[in-house]
CSV table of all heavy atoms in Angstrom, one decimal:
chain,number,residue,atom,x,y,z
G,91,GLY,N,0.8,-1.1,0.0
G,91,GLY,CA,-0.1,0.0,0.1
G,91,GLY,C,0.8,1.3,0.0
G,91,GLY,O,0.2,2.3,-0.1
G,92,LYS,N,2.1,1.2,0.1
G,92,LYS,CA,3.0,2.4,0.1
G,92,LYS,C,3.7,2.5,-1.3
G,92,LYS,O,4.4,1.7,-1.8
G,92,LYS,CB,4.0,2.2,1.2
G,92,LYS,CG,3.5,2.0,2.6
G,92,LYS,CD,2.5,3.2,3.0
G,92,LYS,CE,2.0,2.9,4.4
G,92,LYS,NZ,1.0,3.9,4.9
G,93,THR,N,3.4,3.7,-1.9
G,93,THR,CA,4.0,4.0,-3.2
G,93,THR,C,5.3,4.7,-3.2
G,93,THR,O,5.4,5.8,-2.3
G,93,THR,CB,2.9,4.8,-4.1
G,93,THR,OG1,1.7,4.0,-4.0
G,93,THR,CG2,3.4,5.0,-5.4
G,94,VAL,N,6.3,4.3,-4.0
G,94,VAL,CA,7.5,5.0,-4.0
G,94,VAL,C,7.7,5.6,-5.4
G,94,VAL,O,7.6,4.8,-6.5
G,94,VAL,CB,8.7,4.1,-3.7
G,94,VAL,CG1,10.1,4.8,-3.7
G,94,VAL,CG2,8.5,3.6,-2.3
G,95,LYS,N,8.0,6.8,-5.5
G,95,LYS,CA,8.4,7.5,-6.8
G,95,LYS,C,9.8,7.3,-7.1
G,95,LYS,O,10.6,7.6,-6.1
G,95,LYS,CB,7.9,8.9,-7.0
G,95,LYS,CG,6.5,9.1,-7.3
G,95,LYS,CD,5.4,8.7,-6.2
G,95,LYS,CE,4.1,9.1,-6.5
G,95,LYS,NZ,3.1,8.6,-5.6
G,96,ILE,N,10.3,7.0,-8.3
G,96,ILE,CA,11.7,6.8,-8.4
G,96,ILE,C,12.0,7.6,-9.8
G,96,ILE,O,11.4,7.2,-10.8
G,96,ILE,CB,11.9,5.4,-8.7
G,96,ILE,CG1,11.5,4.5,-7.5
G,96,ILE,CG2,13.5,5.1,-8.9
G,96,ILE,CD1,11.3,3.1,-7.7
G,97,MET,N,13.0,8.5,-9.7
G,97,MET,CA,13.3,9.5,-10.9
G,97,MET,C,14.7,9.5,-11.3
G,97,MET,O,15.6,9.6,-10.5
G,97,MET,CB,12.7,10.8,-10.6
G,97,MET,CG,11.1,10.9,-10.6
G,97,MET,SD,10.5,12.4,-10.4
G,97,MET,CE,10.8,12.9,-8.6
G,98,LEU,N,15.0,9.6,-12.6
G,98,LEU,CA,16.1,10.0,-13.1
G,98,LEU,C,16.2,11.4,-13.7
G,98,LEU,O,15.2,11.8,-14.5
G,98,LEU,CB,16.5,9.0,-14.3
G,98,LEU,CG,17.6,9.5,-15.5
G,98,LEU,CD1,19.0,9.7,-14.9
G,98,LEU,CD2,17.4,8.6,-16.6
G,99,SER,N,17.1,12.2,-13.4
G,99,SER,CA,17.4,13.4,-14.2
G,99,SER,C,18.9,13.6,-14.4
G,99,SER,O,19.7,13.7,-13.5
G,99,SER,CB,16.8,14.6,-13.5
G,99,SER,OG,17.2,14.8,-12.0
G,100,ASP,N,19.3,13.7,-15.6
G,100,ASP,CA,20.7,13.8,-15.9
G,100,ASP,C,20.8,14.4,-17.4
G,100,ASP,O,20.4,13.8,-18.4
G,100,ASP,CB,21.5,12.5,-15.8
G,100,ASP,CG,23.0,12.7,-16.2
G,100,ASP,OD1,23.4,13.7,-16.4
G,100,ASP,OD2,23.5,11.6,-16.5
G,101,TYR,N,21.4,15.5,-17.6
G,101,TYR,CA,21.4,16.3,-18.9
G,101,TYR,C,22.7,16.4,-19.6
G,101,TYR,O,22.9,17.2,-20.4
G,101,TYR,CB,20.7,17.7,-18.6
G,101,TYR,CG,19.3,17.5,-18.0
G,101,TYR,CD1,19.2,17.6,-16.7
G,101,TYR,CD2,18.2,17.1,-18.8
G,101,TYR,CE1,17.9,17.4,-16.1
G,101,TYR,CE2,17.1,16.9,-18.2
G,101,TYR,CZ,16.8,17.1,-16.8
G,101,TYR,OH,15.7,16.8,-16.2
G,102,GLN,N,23.7,15.7,-19.1
G,102,GLN,CA,25.1,15.7,-19.5
G,102,GLN,C,25.2,15.4,-21.0
G,102,GLN,O,26.2,16.0,-21.8
G,102,GLN,CB,26.0,14.8,-18.8
G,102,GLN,CG,25.7,13.4,-18.9
G,102,GLN,CD,26.7,12.5,-18.3
G,102,GLN,OE1,27.7,12.4,-18.7
G,102,GLN,NE2,26.1,11.8,-17.1
G,103,GLY,N,24.2,14.6,-21.6
G,103,GLY,CA,24.3,14.4,-23.1
G,103,GLY,C,23.7,15.5,-23.9
G,103,GLY,O,23.8,15.3,-25.1
G,104,ARG,N,23.2,16.5,-23.4
G,104,ARG,CA,22.6,17.7,-24.1
G,104,ARG,C,23.7,18.5,-24.4
G,104,ARG,O,24.9,18.5,-24.0
G,104,ARG,CB,21.6,18.4,-23.2
G,104,ARG,CG,20.5,17.5,-22.5
G,104,ARG,CD,19.4,17.0,-23.6
G,104,ARG,NE,18.3,16.2,-22.8
G,104,ARG,CZ,17.4,16.8,-22.3
G,104,ARG,NH1,17.2,18.1,-22.2
G,104,ARG,NH2,16.4,16.0,-21.7
G,105,GLU,N,23.2,19.6,-25.2
G,105,GLU,CA,24.1,20.6,-25.7
G,105,GLU,C,24.9,21.3,-24.5
G,105,GLU,O,24.1,21.5,-23.4
G,105,GLU,CB,23.4,21.6,-26.6
G,105,GLU,CG,24.2,22.8,-27.1
G,105,GLU,CD,23.4,23.9,-27.9
G,105,GLU,OE1,22.2,23.5,-28.1
G,105,GLU,OE2,24.0,24.8,-28.3
G,106,GLY,N,26.0,21.6,-24.6
G,106,GLY,CA,26.8,22.4,-23.5
G,106,GLY,C,26.8,21.6,-22.3
G,106,GLY,O,27.0,22.1,-21.1
G,107,GLY,N,26.9,20.3,-22.4
G,107,GLY,CA,27.1,19.4,-21.2
G,107,GLY,C,26.0,19.4,-20.3
G,107,GLY,O,26.0,19.0,-19.1
G,108,GLY,N,24.7,19.9,-20.9
G,108,GLY,CA,23.6,19.9,-19.9
G,108,GLY,C,23.1,21.4,-19.8
G,108,GLY,O,21.9,21.6,-19.5
G,109,ASN,N,23.8,22.4,-20.2
G,109,ASN,CA,23.4,23.8,-20.3
G,109,ASN,C,22.8,24.3,-18.9
G,109,ASN,O,21.9,25.2,-18.9
G,109,ASN,CB,22.3,24.0,-21.3
G,109,ASN,CG,23.0,24.4,-22.7
G,109,ASN,OD1,24.2,24.8,-22.7
G,109,ASN,ND2,22.2,24.3,-23.8
G,110,GLY,N,23.2,23.7,-17.8
G,110,GLY,CA,22.8,24.1,-16.5
G,110,GLY,C,21.4,23.7,-16.1
G,110,GLY,O,20.7,24.2,-15.1
G,111,LEU,N,20.8,22.7,-16.9
G,111,LEU,CA,19.5,22.3,-16.5
G,111,LEU,C,19.4,21.6,-15.2
G,111,LEU,O,20.3,20.8,-14.7
G,111,LEU,CB,19.0,21.2,-17.6
G,111,LEU,CG,18.5,21.7,-18.9
G,111,LEU,CD1,18.4,20.7,-19.9
G,111,LEU,CD2,17.1,22.5,-18.8
G,112,MET,N,18.4,21.9,-14.4
G,112,MET,CA,18.2,21.3,-13.0
G,112,MET,C,16.8,21.1,-12.8
G,112,MET,O,15.9,21.4,-13.7
G,112,MET,CB,18.7,22.3,-12.0
G,112,MET,CG,18.1,23.7,-12.1
G,112,MET,SD,18.7,24.8,-10.7
G,112,MET,CE,17.8,24.2,-9.4
G,113,ARG,N,16.4,20.7,-11.6
G,113,ARG,CA,15.0,20.5,-11.4
G,113,ARG,C,14.6,21.0,-10.0
G,113,ARG,O,15.3,21.3,-9.1
G,113,ARG,CB,14.6,18.9,-11.3
G,113,ARG,CG,14.4,18.3,-12.6
G,113,ARG,CD,14.0,16.9,-12.5
G,113,ARG,NE,13.3,16.5,-13.8
G,113,ARG,CZ,12.9,15.2,-14.0
G,113,ARG,NH1,12.8,14.3,-13.2
G,113,ARG,NH2,12.4,15.0,-15.3
G,114,LEU,N,13.3,21.3,-9.8
G,114,LEU,CA,12.8,21.7,-8.6
G,114,LEU,C,11.5,20.8,-8.3
G,114,LEU,O,10.7,20.7,-9.2
G,114,LEU,CB,12.3,23.2,-8.7
G,114,LEU,CG,12.1,23.9,-7.4
G,114,LEU,CD1,13.5,24.1,-6.7
G,114,LEU,CD2,11.4,25.3,-7.6
G,115,LEU,N,11.5,20.2,-7.2
G,115,LEU,CA,10.5,19.4,-6.7
G,115,LEU,C,9.7,20.2,-5.7
G,115,LEU,O,10.2,20.6,-4.7
G,115,LEU,CB,10.8,18.1,-6.0
G,115,LEU,CG,11.8,17.1,-6.8
G,115,LEU,CD1,12.1,15.9,-6.2
G,115,LEU,CD2,11.3,16.9,-8.3
G,116,THR,N,8.4,20.5,-6.0
G,116,THR,CA,7.6,21.3,-5.1
G,116,THR,C,6.5,20.5,-4.5
G,116,THR,O,5.7,19.8,-5.2
G,116,THR,CB,6.9,22.5,-5.8
G,116,THR,OG1,8.0,23.3,-6.4
G,116,THR,CG2,6.1,23.3,-4.9
G,117,PHE,N,6.5,20.4,-3.1
G,117,PHE,CA,5.6,19.6,-2.4
G,117,PHE,C,4.4,20.3,-1.9
G,117,PHE,O,4.7,21.3,-1.2
G,117,PHE,CB,6.5,18.8,-1.2
G,117,PHE,CG,7.6,18.0,-1.8
G,117,PHE,CD1,8.8,18.5,-2.1
G,117,PHE,CD2,7.3,16.6,-2.1
G,117,PHE,CE1,9.8,17.8,-2.5
G,117,PHE,CE2,8.3,15.8,-2.4
G,117,PHE,CZ,9.6,16.3,-2.8
G,118,SER,N,3.3,19.9,-1.9
G,118,SER,CA,2.0,20.4,-1.3
G,118,SER,C,1.6,19.3,-0.3
G,118,SER,O,0.9,18.4,-0.8
G,118,SER,CB,0.9,20.9,-2.3
G,118,SER,OG,-0.3,21.2,-1.5
G,119,LEU,N,1.9,19.6,0.8
G,119,LEU,CA,1.4,18.5,1.9
G,119,LEU,C,-0.1,18.6,2.1
G,119,LEU,O,-0.7,17.5,2.2
G,119,LEU,CB,2.2,18.6,3.2
G,119,LEU,CG,3.7,18.5,3.2
G,119,LEU,CD1,4.3,18.7,4.6
G,119,LEU,CD2,4.3,17.3,2.6
G,120,LYS,N,-0.5,19.8,2.0
G,120,LYS,CA,-2.0,19.9,2.1
G,120,LYS,C,-2.8,19.3,1.1
G,120,LYS,O,-3.8,18.6,1.4
G,120,LYS,CB,-2.3,21.4,2.0
G,120,LYS,CG,-3.7,21.8,2.1
G,120,LYS,CD,-4.0,23.2,1.9
G,120,LYS,CE,-5.5,23.6,1.9
G,120,LYS,NZ,-5.7,25.1,1.6
G,121,ASN,N,-2.3,19.1,-0.1
G,121,ASN,CA,-3.0,18.5,-1.2
G,121,ASN,C,-2.4,17.3,-1.7
G,121,ASN,O,-2.9,16.7,-2.7
G,121,ASN,CB,-3.1,19.5,-2.5
G,121,ASN,CG,-3.8,20.8,-2.2
G,121,ASN,OD1,-4.7,20.8,-1.3
G,121,ASN,ND2,-3.4,21.9,-2.8
G,122,ASP,N,-1.4,16.8,-0.9
G,122,ASP,CA,-0.7,15.5,-1.3
G,122,ASP,C,-0.3,15.5,-2.8
G,122,ASP,O,-0.6,14.6,-3.6
G,122,ASP,CB,-1.7,14.2,-1.0
G,122,ASP,CG,-1.0,13.0,-1.2
G,122,ASP,OD1,0.0,12.7,-0.4
G,122,ASP,OD2,-1.3,12.1,-2.0
G,123,ARG,N,0.5,16.5,-3.2
G,123,ARG,CA,1.1,16.6,-4.5
G,123,ARG,C,2.5,16.9,-4.5
G,123,ARG,O,3.0,17.7,-3.6
G,123,ARG,CB,0.1,17.5,-5.3
G,123,ARG,CG,-1.3,17.2,-5.6
G,123,ARG,CD,-1.8,18.0,-6.8
G,123,ARG,NE,-1.7,19.4,-6.6
G,123,ARG,CZ,-2.7,20.1,-6.1
G,123,ARG,NH1,-3.7,19.6,-5.5
G,123,ARG,NH2,-2.6,21.5,-6.1
G,124,MET,N,3.2,16.3,-5.6
G,124,MET,CA,4.5,16.7,-5.9
G,124,MET,C,4.6,17.2,-7.3
G,124,MET,O,4.2,16.4,-8.2
G,124,MET,CB,5.5,15.5,-5.7
G,124,MET,CG,6.9,15.8,-6.1
G,124,MET,SD,8.0,14.3,-5.9
G,124,MET,CE,7.3,13.2,-7.1
G,125,ALA,N,5.0,18.4,-7.6
G,125,ALA,CA,5.2,18.9,-8.8
G,125,ALA,C,6.7,18.9,-9.2
G,125,ALA,O,7.6,19.3,-8.6
G,125,ALA,CB,4.7,20.3,-9.0
């Protein structure tokens, strides 16, 4: 009954070795959401 999210993010193969791409995970505990 417990769900685990598993994610890859890696942009080294892109132009400019990744061009500074990054991620932001935003959590709403009130609404049980991750963006």
Side-chain angles (χ1 to χ4, degrees):
K92 303 300 180 184
T93 302
V94 178
K95 277 73 175 176
I96 307 157
M97 292 188 284
L98 153 73
S99 53
D100 176 15
Y101 305 99
Q102 60 179 290
R104 309 280 185 90
E105 182 181 354
N109 269 345
L111 284 165
M112 59 177 284
R113 278 189 166 179
L114 199 69
L115 308 186
T116 301
F117 300 85
S118 172
L119 302 183
K120 176 182 177 181
N121 297 331
D122 190 60
R123 292 203 302 273
M124 174 181 69

